[in-house]
Amino acid sequence: MHGSTPLSPATTAVTAGRPPREQGGPVNPPVVLSSTYVSAGTPGPGELLYTRNGTETWTPFEEALGELELSALPALVLGSGMAAIAATLALVPAGGRVVMPRHSYQMSLALTEDLTVRHGWERELVDIADTEAVLAAVRGTDGRGPASMLWVESPTNPMLEVADLPALVAGAHEVGALVAVDNTFATPLGQQPLATGADVVVHSVTKYLAGHSDVVLGAVVTSDPALRERLATFRTVHGAIAGPFEVWLALRGLRTLALRVERSQRTAETLAARLVEHPGVAQVRHTSLPGDPGHERASRLLTGHGSILGVRPHGGAAAADAVVDRVRLWVPATSLGGVESSLERRRRFPTESVTVPEDLLRLSVGIEDVEDLWRDLDQALRG
């Protein structure tokens, strides 16, 4: 807040989590590299004891992300995106039901499949863009009770389906289900799920928030003190903690989030429009395209169309692999959200959803010059 006027998310990314403004004081919070703290006698409330429980280097990042997600509480940073996902799924009781997108992040699918065996869960995979089907699954049919948790990705990874998040949150809460939203693709600049009533937001900080492909971190955000305490306890007792230096790097990356997202989204829109007309391309997915299935909903619910493209070249999986082999500027690599543009064929992973096309290339658009990126893609597609 600046006086009584809320700051824009772009400004919050720069200003939140700063040290007090004092004469001669630092502009940036320092990184403290210590595993333990001086302590004698009975610890006082909030006293730092051991880095597994907390460190002053986590706090600025957690405060900044909490503000960006419009949370009443600071975020919780964890050692990886999967740690954040695991902490959130731990809120589901033994024998519970989880409804989630069939095209969720492949490791989210792998973890929930494992938990169905170990904790007696029931998991139902849905087309997250089909609102009525999702709500029917959440309500439960054929003797099944309501879901314990609705897990949402929007846009989905890697198919870029867009959920009607407000409708899903309202419907899930009617039957007492928690709603967790993986907001990695959209970022807090694209949507703020807590504002729609979602219970928990999950981030792979590795991706857009840190933005430079040099740290592995995750985070969870909630405005519910009881949920936050349960998530924090999971982090501590499972050792899912983050190194101070990595968190400091993530905060530094967060400062340029708005600039990076603005540039990469603009470039992605340009590339999507050109790829639709390319003779080597059979299909393009990007919600900026008027004909994309998610265009109307993304235009209404999201701020921006993101910088992930789905591209299917003519010629099937072999042609997709050939494109990956021929690019010189685009980096053949997994992950996304870095300053560098990267691409990969998603079904090269055996854990990827079987309904993802074999020839789908997922492109993560970075901040390079758009014409350089286009020339490299064009020559790779033409062979």
Side-chain angles (χ1 to χ4, degrees), residues 101-119:
R102 60 180 178 168
H103 293 138
S104 300
Y105 170 49
Q106 59 171 328
M107 295 309 295
S108 298
L109 291 170
L111 178 58
T112 53
E113 184 176 11
D114 175 65
L115 291 170
T116 60
V117 176
R118 292 196 289 116
H119 294 328

Side-chain angles (χ1 to χ4, degrees), residues 197-283:
D199 299 289
V200 182
V201 171
V202 177
H203 282 281
S204 174
V205 177
T206 307
K207 313 301 194 298
Y208 290 102
L209 299 185
H212 292 78
S213 303
D214 54 8
V215 299
V216 174
L217 290 172
V220 293
V221 196
T222 181
S223 288
D224 185 319
L227 287 180
R228 190 182 190 278
E229 182 60 32
R230 291 173 65 186
L231 293 163
T233 298
F234 181 97
R235 177 176 70 178
T236 299
V237 301
H238 288 265
I241 62 170
F245 187 65
E246 287 82 358
V247 179
W248 183 83
L249 282 174
L251 180 61
R252 186 172 69 166
L254 191 69
R255 301 307 188 197
T256 60
L257 176 65
L259 292 173
R260 291 184 283 105
V261 167
E262 179 184 355
R263 172 66 174 251
S264 62
Q265 285 190 154
R266 186 170 64 246
T267 299
E269 291 182 12
T270 299
L271 295 177
R274 294 182 184 181
L275 285 165
V276 166
E277 305 297 330
H278 198 285
V281 173
Q283 184 183 35

Side-chain angles (χ1 to χ4, degrees), residues 63-150:
E63 290 178 347
L65 182 55
E67 287 190 41
L68 277 172
E69 286 288 5
L70 300 182
S71 174
L73 301 168
L76 289 165
V77 66
L78 295 94
S80 67
M82 280 307 300
I85 291 167
T88 305
L89 290 172
L91 299 172
V92 177
R97 288 186 61 237
V98 176
V99 175
M100 67 188 303
R102 60 180 178 168
H103 293 138
S104 300
Y105 170 49
Q106 59 171 328
M107 295 309 295
S108 298
L109 291 170
L111 178 58
T112 53
E113 184 176 11
D114 175 65
L115 291 170
T116 60
V117 176
R118 292 196 289 116
H119 294 328
W121 284 8
E122 180 184 347
R123 184 187 70 171
E124 187 165 353
L125 301 180
V126 294
D127 175 358
I128 204 68
D130 186 341
T131 303
E132 290 307 314
V134 175
L135 292 178
V138 169
R139 288 190 291 265
T141 57
D142 301 326
R144 296 174 300 170
S148 307
M149 177 179 284
L150 171 61

